[in-house]
Structures are given as C-alpha cells and as structure tokens.
C-alpha cells in the first residue's frame, strides 16, 4: 500500500506540480551550460485547450453581417503569469505577459489603435489645435469636468514628448536603431493625466502618443542630448549582439520596445514601460543590417529603474546591471518568445479560419539583473514584437 | 485491487484537470487571483459574448457615417460561473475585437 502511496505522491508532484507553469529557468540568470533548456512542454496542454476554445470565435454569426459595410476582422487575446509562474488567461486587470493578435487568413493589413501621431512636421500650433480638439470632445461628452487641468496637462505632456522625438530624429544609428517613441496615458474624469499600469482601466479614457520619424530633415534648434544618444547607442549594441541576425520561418522579430526612465540627475535608464510619464522607445532593425560591435562596447553597466513593487527594491529605484548580463537576458527573452510562438502556432489547426498575426511578449528585470517573463503584479521593462 | 484503485484515482485526477483553463488577474485590492474554467464552458461563453458584441458594434457602426475604417474594442467579459445558486463566481477574460470597413 505504501508503495502505491509513494507512486501516487510521485505522480502528483512530479507530473502535475509543474503542469501549466513556466519552469524557473525562465526567471533566473542561469549559466546556460549547466541548465537543461526548457522546451515549454509544461504549458503544452494549456495552449492546446486555449487555442481550441478560441479557434472558432466570431465565425458562427458572420452571415448576419452580409449586408453591413463593416466586418469583424480579428481579435486579440492575452495571457498572464501568476506569481508562481502559472500561465493563464488574462482577466480582472494586472499585467499581461503575452498578447496574441488573430486575424482572418486572407487579411494582412495592420490595425491601428487610437493614436495621436507626431513627426518632424508637427508644430506647436498643431499640438495646440489637437489639445483643443481632444479637450473639447471630452468636455462636451461629459467625460471630463475640469477643462483647464486637462488642457494644461495635455499640452505639457504632448510638447515634452515632441521635444524628445525631435531630439531622437537628429541622431543617426545603425544595426538596431530607435525609430519610434510611445507614451501611453489615461485621462481621469477630473481631467488629471495618469501614466503607467492601471489595475483596471475602468472609466478612464486612454490615449496613445506616437512619435515616428518620416525621414524628413528639419533644422531643430533644441540641443541634442548626449546622454540620450549614448544610451541609445549602447542599447543598439546590446540588441545587435544578442538578437539573431537571421530570419526564421514564420513570424519574425520586428521591434523591441524598451521603457525609458530619467533620474533626478538626468541619467537615462531602462525603466518600466510607461511607468514614469516618460515614453518608451521602439528599436527596429536597420535595412542595412551590418555592424561590428567591439567587445569594449559591451563593457560596463547600464542603469535599470524600477518602481519597486517588490519590497526588496525599497527606495533604491536605480540599479546597475552589466551590459553583458542584459545581453544574456535578451537572448533568453528571444528564446522564450520564439519557443512560445512555435508551440502556440503548432496548436492552431491548419483548417482554422484564423491565423496568428502578431505576438507581443513582455519581460521584467529583477533586482539581480536577470530578465524574465513579467508576472501579473509586475510591470515590464521591455517587450518583443513578432509579426 | 489496490493497483486498480490507484490507477483509477490517477485517471480521475488527470481527467478532472484536463480541459481546465486558469484565468489569472488582480482583484480590486491588487491581490493576484485565479479561477479555473473548463475550456468548453469558456469557449461557448466567449462565442456568445463575441457574437453579441460584434452584432451590436457593427449595428452601431452602420448607423454612423464614420471617416475612419478601423475600430478596435477592448473589453472584459463578465461570466457568471457556478453550481446552482450555492457556489458562484465570476470570470472576466479580457480581449479585444477588431472591425474593418469592407473593401479596406
């Protein structure tokens, strides 16, 4: 009897305990040679069931829309990680670890969110006019009460954002280059602008600012920020030396989003995405993807900033991480995203009318400097986009 | 006999766990929370919700003459779960729906 009990305990711990959980391998700074690489087999059945429950969404009532000028063209589902590393469907707020965009097989066009776009042609006057329009619309609809508070906050946020975008457009980079800035914000009913993760969006109005260079040369009088340029160059080198230069089959890594933070002394750091009212930056591969990163370029540290939801951070929001360690973490983040994508893709039936269009995976640095998939209570420092 | 019982027990546990999907999030106090739901129940409730949402969205998009051609709607769908009136709970999976004007 004891023999069977031991057998039962063995089964219940070794077979089921890790089922549905990501292995600790993904959360620690591991010596790759001493670790047996995890192939995400523990989330295999979760993904199979998950895909099965989503594969036929929206297909049963399509005929009802035959006479309409609109169509249901896609959907996005999200996954979250519990504190123990358990993977599940994102619900009730918190932070997503993965976003999956599904589209109909014949569709290729990208879908845009509500975005306020900036580029070299944006002027102070055009910002003022946009602010006027947004404030007017929100006050008229009764969503915001304090017109002045919203107007002042929005104007300042949009102008600061534009200055940073203009500085960025003056710099030149190779390899992985910063090509877009993004700032996510929420507007409260009081007219107050909020940044960063919101437990649940609720009634707040969400706005996204995006600065993207059109390549147009413009004489900008603002002094270019040397600190900013050095940071972007360092990050470009780290990305270039950690991410694969070849294209694999299927979806490929198109962009890397990194949160930016500014210390009181003006130091730039990798920070949580959208956590500080400072935009995040998107890095994209240059078309001419040739670069030599000298080993000296990977010496030294890079600053990481954290809001400190983990108690261990205390008041020390900034910590130094060796560039080589960041590179190692990025390699692993890529490995995780790629393996996830392959596994997820393999669960979608070839007969399905939906296909995966885009996958976004989010990662967070720990105090020790390791980079792992973000858990439900954390805020990510970077995101990888595959499409 | 014991062998059979253990085997059946293992099968039962495996069977009970199969097809269950966890939903993970934070409650109103910011504490992590988790609930499991069977994939068939989730699938049918999602189908129902997506059907109703897309119908009402397309209906209201048709009524307005809009200059844009892409719309996305992000939503939590509240699903009541439970056995009779005794054990109840709610699941709120989050998803986004995309709509485009035909011909775009």
């Amino acid at each position: 009897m004891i023999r069977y009990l031991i057998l039962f305990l063995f089964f219940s711990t070794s077979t089921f305990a890790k089922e549905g959980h990501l292995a600790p391998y993904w959360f620690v700074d591991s010596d790759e040679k001493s670790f047996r690489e995890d192939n995400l087999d523990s989330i295999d059945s979760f993904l199979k069931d998950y895909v099965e429950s989503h594969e036929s969404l929206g297909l049963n009532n399509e005929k009802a829309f035959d006479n309409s000028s609109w169509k249901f063209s896609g959907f996005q589902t999200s996954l979250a990680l519990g504190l123990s590393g358990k993977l599940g469907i994102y619900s009730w707020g918190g932070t997503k670890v993965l976003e999956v965009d599904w589209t109909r097989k014949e569709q290729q066009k990208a879908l845009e969110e509500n975005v306020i776009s900036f580029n070299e042609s944006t002027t102070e006057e055009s910002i003022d006019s946009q602010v006027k329009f947004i404030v007017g619309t929100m006050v008229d609809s009764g969503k915001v009460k304090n017109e002045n508070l919203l107007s002042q906050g929005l104007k300042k946020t949009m102008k600061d954002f534009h200055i940073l975008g203009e500085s960025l457009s003056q710099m030149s980079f190779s390899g992985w280059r910063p090509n877009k800035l993004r700032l996510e914000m929420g507007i409260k009913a009081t007219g107050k602008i909020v940044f960063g993760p919101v437990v649940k969006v609720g009634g707040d109005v969400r706005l996204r600012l995006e600065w993207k260079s059109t390549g147009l040369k413009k004489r900008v009088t603002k002094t270019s920020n040397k600190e900013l340029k050095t940071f972007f160059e360092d990050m470009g080198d780290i990305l270039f030396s950690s991410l694969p230069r070849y294209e694999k089959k299927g979806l490929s890594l198109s962009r890397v989003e990194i949160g930016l933070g500014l210390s009181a002394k003006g130091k730039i750091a990798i920070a949580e995405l959208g956590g500080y009212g400072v935009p995040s930056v998107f890095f994209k591969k240059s078309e001419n993807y040739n670069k030599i990163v000298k080993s000296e370029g990977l010496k030294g540290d890079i600053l990481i900033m954290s809001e400190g939801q983990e108690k261990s951070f205390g008041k020390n929001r900034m910590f130094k991480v060796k560039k080589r360690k960041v590179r190692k973490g990025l390699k692993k983040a890529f490995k995780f995203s790629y393996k996830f994508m392959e596994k997820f893709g393999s669960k979608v039936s070839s007969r399905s009318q939906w296909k995966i269009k885009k996958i976004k995976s989010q990662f967070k640095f720990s105090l020790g400097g390791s980079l792992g998939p973000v858990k439900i209570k954390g805020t990510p420092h970077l995101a990888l986009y595959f499409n | 006999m014991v062998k059979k019982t253990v085997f059946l027990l293992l099968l039962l546990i495996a069977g009970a766990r199969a097809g269950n999907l966890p939903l993970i999030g934070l409650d109103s106090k910011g504490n992590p929370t988790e609930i499991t739901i069977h994939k068939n129940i989730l699938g049918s409730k999602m189908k129902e919700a997506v059907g109703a949402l897309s119908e009402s969205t397309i209906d209201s998009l048709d009524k307005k003459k809009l200059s844009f051609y892409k719309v996305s709607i992000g939503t939590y769908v509240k699903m009541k779960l439970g056995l009779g009136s005794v054990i109840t709970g709610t699941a709120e999976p989050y998803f986004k729906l995309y709509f485009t004007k035909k011909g775009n």
Side-chain angles (χ1 to χ4, degrees), chain A residues 4 49 52 56 61 65-66 68-69 71 73-76 86 89-93 101 110-111 113 200 377, chain B residues 3 19 22 24-26 30 34-35 39 47 51 58 62 70 76 90 92 94-96 98-100 102:
Chain A
Y4 288 111
D49 292 338
E52 271 176 23
S56 57
N61 53 346
F65 311 132
D66 275 354
S68 167
S69 53
K71 63 184 173 190
S73 52
F75 60 94
Q76 182 188 84
K86 187 171 189 174
I89 297 167
Y90 170 74
S91 318
W92 304 287
D101 273 30
L111 287 155
E113 306 283 336
K200 203 163 178 176
K377 238 184 151 178
Chain B
K3 266 186 192 176
I24 290 170
L26 295 179
E34 187 189 315
I35 193 169
K39 66 174 179 184
K47 258 188 206 171
I58 287 181
D62 273 335
K70 299 165 186 169
Y76 287 90
T90 55
E92 294 182 46
Y94 174 84
F95 59 93
K96 247 181 203 176
Y98 299 122
F99 300 91
T100 44
K102 285 178 184 167

Side-chain angles (χ1 to χ4, degrees), chain A residues 276 304-320 367:
Chain A
Y276 303 91
I304 312 262
M305 200 182 218
S306 194
E307 181 68 63
Q309 282 189 343
E310 291 91 344
K311 280 181 185 164
S312 56
F313 279 123
K315 285 180 183 172
N316 294 323
R317 286 186 177 178
M318 300 272 255
F319 56 101
K320 284 180 181 174
L367 187 59

Side-chain angles (χ1 to χ4, degrees), chain A residues 45-197:
Chain A
S45 58
F46 164 77
L47 291 182
K48 183 176 168 284
D49 292 338
Y50 179 73
V51 169
E52 271 176 23
S53 62
H54 287 77
E55 250 180 337
S56 57
L57 274 190
L59 301 175
N60 51 339
N61 53 346
E62 277 197 314
K63 282 189 178 166
F65 311 132
D66 275 354
N67 297 325
S68 167
S69 53
W70 289 82
K71 63 184 173 190
F72 173 50
S73 52
F75 60 94
Q76 182 188 84
T77 54
S78 312
L79 299 175
L81 269 184
L83 300 188
S84 61
K86 187 171 189 174
L87 190 65
I89 297 167
Y90 170 74
S91 318
W92 304 287
T95 303
K96 306 164 182 178
V97 64
L98 288 145
E99 272 178 14
V100 181
D101 273 30
W102 306 64
T103 189
R104 289 302 285 271
K105 275 193 173 151
E106 74 274 14
Q107 285 179 337
Q108 289 297 333
K109 285 188 181 176
L111 287 155
E112 295 288 332
E113 306 283 336
N114 292 330
V115 179
I116 304 174
S117 301
F118 297 72
N119 57 38
E120 291 89 344
S121 317
T122 306
T123 59
E124 286 215 10
E125 291 72 35
S126 64
I127 293 176
D128 287 341
S129 129
Q130 274 180 318
V131 170
K132 205 175 163 188
F133 175 75
I134 296 166
V135 174
T137 311
M138 294 190 68
V139 171
D140 289 349
S141 64
K143 284 182 178 157
V144 168
K145 286 163 196 155
N146 194 332
E147 189 177 339
N148 281 343
L149 185 68
L150 175 62
S151 178
Q152 283 166 15
L154 206 53
K155 218 175 262 184
K156 184 178 183 322
T157 307
M158 285 169 73
K159 286 184 179 171
D160 287 350
F161 179 75
H162 184 49
I163 289 170
L164 193 61
E166 283 194 319
S167 304
L168 184 70
S169 69
Q170 291 177 87
M171 305 171 188
S172 59
F173 303 92
S174 58
W176 280 86
R177 62 186 170 84
N179 86 319
K180 187 164 79 176
L181 291 174
R182 177 180 283 177
L183 183 61
E184 305 272 11
M185 53 205 241
I187 298 172
K188 296 259 172 217
T190 56
K192 195 182 168 192
I193 293 175
V194 288
F195 305 98

Side-chain angles (χ1 to χ4, degrees), chain A residues 221-316:
Chain A
T221 47
K222 303 273 183 312
T223 339
S224 131
N225 188 334
K226 197 184 164 206
E227 189 87 36
L228 203 65
K229 185 164 171 60
T230 311
F231 176 84
F232 286 146
E233 277 173 350
D234 282 352
M235 272 318 300
D237 285 351
I238 294 170
L239 291 171
F240 187 81
S241 57
S242 56
L243 300 173
R245 288 165 219 191
Y246 54 88
E247 297 288 336
K248 288 190 175 183
K249 270 184 184 174
L251 304 181
S252 61
L253 179 64
S254 61
R255 286 171 294 156
V256 180
E257 184 184 11
I258 291 169
L260 291 180
L262 286 170
S263 75
K265 289 179 183 169
K267 293 267 179 205
I268 314 249
I270 298 177
E272 286 145 330
L273 290 172
Y276 303 91
V278 181
S280 58
V281 59
F282 284 77
F283 285 82
K284 195 181 175 185
K285 267 187 232 176
S286 304
E287 278 170 31
N288 183 10
Y289 198 54
N290 284 316
K291 190 180 180 181
I292 296 163
V293 178
K294 291 179 184 164
S295 79
E296 296 91 69
L298 294 170
K299 278 184 184 164
D301 308 304
I302 206 150
L303 281 172
I304 312 262
M305 200 182 218
S306 194
E307 181 68 63
Q309 282 189 343
E310 291 91 344
K311 280 181 185 164
S312 56
F313 279 123
K315 285 180 183 172
N316 294 323

